[in-house]
Amino acid sequence: MRFAVLGPLEVATHDGRAVRVPELKVRALLACLLAHRGRVVPAERLIDNLWGPRPPARPLGALRARVSQLRRALDEAEPGARELVVSRPPGYLVDGDTDARRFQEAVERSRAMTGPGERAALLAEALSWWRGPAFADFAGEPLVHAAAARLEELRLSALEDYADARLALGQDASQVGELAELAGQHPARERFHALLMRALYRSGRQSEALEVYRALRERLRDELGLDPGPEIVALHQAILEQRPGLGRPPGTPAPLPARLPEPLTDLVGRDDALADVVALAGAARLVTLTGAGGVGKSRLALEAARRLAGSYPDGAYLVELSAVPAGSPSEAAAAVAAALGLHADGPADPGERVAAAVGGRRALLVLDNCEHVVEPVAKLTELLLRAGPGPRVIATSREPLGIAGEVVRQVPPLDPGAAVRLFAARAAEAAPGFALTPGDAEAAELICHRLDGIPLALELAAARVRSLGVRALAERLDDRFRLLSAGRRAGPAHQRTLRATIDWSWELLTEPERVVLRRLAVQAGGCTLEAAERVCAVPMPIPGGPPGDADLAAEAQSVARSGAQSVAQSGAQSGAQPAAQPAARPDIEPGEVVDLLSRLVDRSLVVRAGDRYRLPESVAAYALERLREAGEHERVLRWYATYYTQLAECAEAYRSGPARHRWLRRLDAETANLGGALEAALSLGDTRLAGRLTGSLGWYRAGDARAGHVVHSAGSAGRSAGRSAGSPA
């Protein structure tokens, strides 16, 4: 039996089959025992951890019952595994293998090695075992917290050792981005800053290395009242003096300007898109690739740039912008200057310096991950292209840059066949010997469909095949954000897990955009613009619809107004100025939805097909979580159920006459939403609304065989609801 704690708690048999440990307290018990690494945990401490100040009537008996459940779950998965949970006075222990123990042993072995190559290889393998924070789902438990903190400290130390070994191998410029990100995440950790200073200095960027030290010194003094330690002070002095010992190790090649990185994997399913981008970039001066997070914009842009590089005598360069702070014009320009190897001489403004240096060159720039700095990048790109006819730019962003001459191409998800090929290829890389069997093909197609054909999500899912298998993976996709939390070790932080990718897009939205996105998530089969306006905003009766729902709209508007008034009153009572209370803004109005929806389409979070709008499944799952967090779920479900009830009642009013066929087509298009609205009404306990919906669809179900499945699954419940509400069923 194998226990994994370097991330969410997981249990697997020796042959890699996942083991389900039922009930939260049983899993918490296992986490507490694993955190103590084979040492006995007293029963009293376990009881206190599991139940806190309100233990059950017979706490020892309750603890024994949880231990018994744990043993049974392990034994059912692997006979004999119950013996791993040992009862030993004064409590219990788990005698099992964990990835944390293997990680610690690997780190200790690496420190005994003398060769940087062997040390780097071992540390890279050990760090790849991390799937997230240690004991991610139980790190707050008192008996687990200390172990989680100890493991996190060991991970950071291993990352420092790994970077140090790579510096010894001469890998300087390639590490600058990663070390800058780590130093930013851990602003008081001096060793990350020292490693970054060394990498910058060896890459010919002495002034930037000195700036790292200056910023660290000021931060330590301002926030902690401390000075930097003697080791980093000595490194700073050595850089000032340009001591020979800071140079690259003997035998390593001299640093070159960072250009296009070599791909680590093949590009799958993008032949037509690649040919299109290559043709466009050969003719247009600015091509922007847009699309959803994780869809493969960066990979496609880099492959196109590699194909075109021979046509640019002054080189093709990658400028990675993900680490640039949002809305920072100077730092965006500085990132471009650094990628091009430009020095600080020339115009003081970084943008002007880039334009002056590149304007006369025939060079190709790939500006990657522009969405959070889209305005400064747009200004810089326009300045760059106006400086001369030679430069060409391929940008990747979740929305266009919006400047003259820009050619925009949206990168779509992979088609079903290409998605399955990519999933199978990445699964074979993660699990040697893996081959997609005919028996697993249907499950693989389901995985690719439910993950919207997004390459990042498919690659994260493929990494799970080794421990779960294809079918079990498909069965667990309802919990996709936990399942796909085994992030990449390299690359920008927002591209390492599925949740981080969507988090990145969410954080870039305005509050009104977030409101519309999370409310759209209740639409079961996509929706029209009218439906979005009625469900995402304060509801009003549908034009021409039957009376009886004006009270709901009036009630919703009253709730919004009273909520705003209460916020303003509470602010006045506390002495705050009303103008400083953004929450006092009324709810979204229907007229605002069209503009907000257009912005979400531009940001690749909503897909428009014809006259309908839909959310990709992963975005919808994420938005539903946000809807519940905002406390709006039941409220929006009621608006949703009411709108489609009104729609069905309008259709019923036109069930005969020349408009009949138009309304039949409309109801056909809303099949999923009509069923979803009935489920919503029943889940809210609104039997009257459910009865109105089923009653108004009676003619449609009776007269058209295509519609039999609309509400059939909830038919008996709907008919019962209709009778109790006094409406025809």
Side-chain angles (χ1 to χ4, degrees):
M1 192 68 65
R2 298 173 180 173
F3 302 99
V5 301
L6 301 181
L9 176 62
E10 292 183 354
V11 185
T13 60
H14 276 293
D15 59 4
R17 288 180 294 109
V19 178
R20 180 175 176 271
V21 179
E23 193 179 332
L24 182 61
K25 281 198 178 342
V26 179
R27 290 174 56 81
L29 168 67
L30 176 59
C32 293
L33 295 176
L34 290 173
H36 285 72
R37 297 182 298 170
R39 300 192 305 274
V40 175
V41 185
E44 291 79 4
R45 294 188 65 195
L46 290 170
I47 291 168
D48 184 60
N49 188 93
L50 295 177
W51 287 283
R54 302 181 64 182
R58 298 178 60 251
L60 198 55
L63 176 62
R64 288 171 179 160
R66 299 302 188 279
V67 171
S68 179
Q69 286 179 264
L70 175 58
R71 286 172 170 163
R72 183 165 58 251
L74 299 181
D75 205 58
E76 288 174 354
E78 193 169 79
R82 66 181 299 111
E83 303 302 327
L84 296 176
V85 184
V86 180
S87 175
R88 184 177 299 168
Y92 299 90
L93 63 87
V94 168
D95 184 17
D97 184 35
T98 67
D99 54 356
R101 180 191 61 79
R102 296 195 302 275
F103 175 74
Q104 184 170 354
E105 290 177 353
V107 172
E108 291 173 353
R109 289 201 311 274
S110 73
R111 290 171 179 169
M113 294 177 174
T114 56
E118 294 177 332
R119 191 162 69 250
L122 181 58
L123 287 169
E125 181 184 6
L127 288 166
S128 71
W129 300 337
W130 282 77
R131 299 166 289 110
F135 295 97
D137 35 4
F138 296 103
E141 300 286 341
L143 289 180
V144 175
H145 180 74
R150 176 181 56 80
L151 286 169
E152 175 63 14
E153 174 61 29
L154 186 61
R155 183 185 74 88
L156 294 176
S157 180
L159 282 170
E160 292 168 340
D161 291 346
Y162 180 48
D164 187 66
R166 291 175 64 192
L167 285 177
L169 292 170
Q171 299 175 15
D172 306 322
S174 62
Q175 284 202 90
V176 168
E178 296 175 35
L179 287 170
E181 186 174 345
L182 288 168
Q185 292 171 354
H186 306 279
R189 200 170 180 97
E190 292 188 7
R191 194 177 176 200
F192 278 139
H193 290 77
L195 291 163
L196 175 58
M197 290 167 64
R198 287 169 55 197
L200 287 168
Y201 179 78
R202 290 182 177 183
S203 302
R205 298 158 68 177
Q206 178 180 350
S207 61
E208 294 177 62
L210 295 172
E211 175 60 23
V212 169
Y213 175 81
R214 185 197 63 76
L216 172 67
R217 181 181 60 195
E218 291 185 0
R219 189 183 307 112
L220 291 176
R221 287 178 176 175
D222 292 345
E223 297 179 5
L224 302 176
L226 299 174
D227 286 323
E231 292 183 2
I232 198 168
V233 169
L235 174 62
H236 174 251
Q237 187 63 33
I239 290 174
L240 286 172
E241 298 173 3
Q242 298 187 5
R243 295 178 189 169
L246 288 178
R248 299 171 62 81
T252 58
L256 295 173
R259 296 198 175 187
L260 299 179
E262 288 297 315
L264 300 178
T265 57
D266 293 333
L267 185 64
V268 177
R270 295 296 192 192
D271 293 345
D272 292 342
L274 179 60
D276 182 41
V277 175
V278 168
L280 284 172
R285 299 192 63 201
L286 169 61
V287 177
T288 300
L289 303 182
T290 65
V295 80
K297 303 181 292 294
S298 301
R299 184 70 177 83
L300 180 59
L302 283 171
E303 188 62 31
R306 290 181 67 248
R307 300 284 180 93
L308 292 163
S311 302
Y312 293 90
D314 292 312
Y317 299 83
L318 170 65
V319 183
E320 173 53 65
L321 296 167
S322 62
V324 175
S328 177
S330 61
E331 295 199 38
V336 177
L340 295 171
L342 302 180
H343 298 292
D345 52 347
D349 179 78
E352 294 179 2
R353 188 164 71 246
V354 169
V358 181
R361 299 186 189 182
R362 183 158 175 76
L364 175 64
L365 274 65
V366 178
L367 304 181
D368 195 25
N369 290 304
C370 300
E371 53 271 357
H372 65 302
V373 285
V374 66
E375 290 189 10
V377 168
K379 293 176 182 177
L380 174 64
T381 303
E382 186 171 26
L383 186 65
L384 177 68
L385 296 179
R386 287 182 182 277
R392 296 288 192 274
V393 175
I394 300 176
T396 72
S397 177
R398 299 189 191 181
E399 61 179 303
L401 299 188
I403 62 176
E406 178 183 30
V407 177
V408 180
R409 284 293 182 270
Q410 184 167 32
V411 180
L414 292 173
D415 63 60
V420 172
R421 292 200 306 275
L422 176 66
F423 174 77
R426 299 297 182 260
E429 294 168 4
F434 170 83
L436 192 62
T437 65
D440 286 338
E442 185 176 351
E445 291 171 2
L446 177 62
I447 291 168
C448 295
H449 173 73
R450 294 200 61 193
L451 294 178
D452 308 301
I454 300 294
L456 172 64
L458 297 177
E459 291 177 352
L460 293 171
R464 287 291 198 181
V465 169
R466 180 172 55 184
S467 59
L468 290 177
V470 178
R471 297 184 192 182
L473 179 64
E475 292 169 357
R476 288 165 170 76
L477 280 181
D478 284 342
D479 193 16
R480 66 187 64 201
F481 296 116
R482 185 188 298 272
L483 186 70
L484 305 185
S485 61
R488 301 168 169 179
R489 298 305 316 167
H494 68 272
Q495 295 176 358
R496 296 181 185 177
T497 69
L498 183 60
R499 181 180 293 280
T501 298
I502 306 179
D503 275 339
W504 174 263
S505 295
W506 177 266
E507 293 301 325
L508 297 175
L509 299 178
T510 64
E511 185 57 30
E513 289 167 349
R514 294 177 185 178
V515 170
V516 170
L517 182 64
R518 69 188 182 223
R519 292 178 180 176
L520 276 176
V522 302
Q523 302 280 354
C527 66
T528 62
L529 175 58
E530 178 189 84
E533 289 174 330
R534 301 296 167 179
V535 176
C536 296
V538 174
M540 299 175 65
I542 188 170
D549 290 306
D551 55 341
L552 179 72
E555 177 187 353
Q557 291 173 331
S558 174
V559 167
R561 285 194 298 269
S562 63
Q565 290 168 359
S566 66
V567 170
Q569 289 169 359
S570 65
Q573 292 170 359
S574 64
Q577 294 297 324
Q581 295 290 339
R585 179 191 185 278
D587 208 324
I588 301 291
E589 297 292 339
E592 298 177 84
V593 172
V594 61
D595 181 54
L596 296 170
L597 192 58
S598 297
R599 288 189 235 165
L600 292 172
V601 172
D602 287 342
R603 287 159 174 75
S604 306
L605 288 166
V606 175
V607 177
R608 185 180 70 85
D611 63 349
R612 296 185 70 81
Y613 299 84
R614 68 172 182 86
L615 302 187
E617 186 172 332
S618 295
V619 174
Y622 180 93
L624 274 175
E625 287 186 7
R626 293 292 190 172
L627 187 68
R628 291 188 175 94
E629 288 175 7
E632 294 185 337
H633 188 239
E634 290 190 4
R635 177 188 182 199
V636 175
L637 277 184
R638 183 170 298 281
W639 297 354
Y640 170 67
T642 300
Y643 169 75
Y644 285 101
T645 298
Q646 293 174 330
L647 183 73
E649 289 171 338
C650 281
E652 184 185 28
Y654 293 98
R655 66 181 180 270
S656 59
R660 172 185 174 88
H661 293 293
R662 178 170 63 86
W663 280 101
L664 280 174
R665 289 194 299 271
R666 187 158 184 187
L667 292 180
D668 287 347
E670 300 297 355
T671 294
N673 281 316
L674 291 169
L678 179 58
E679 291 181 9
L682 294 173
S683 70
L684 293 168
D686 194 333
T687 55
R688 177 178 174 273
L689 191 61
R692 282 173 53 192
L693 177 57
T694 54
S696 61
L697 288 174
W699 70 278
Y700 175 62
R701 291 179 297 157
D704 196 327
R706 293 171 297 170
H709 62 286
V710 173
V711 291
H712 177 72
S713 61
S716 60
R719 285 190 292 273
S720 173
R723 286 193 296 272
S724 65
S727 303

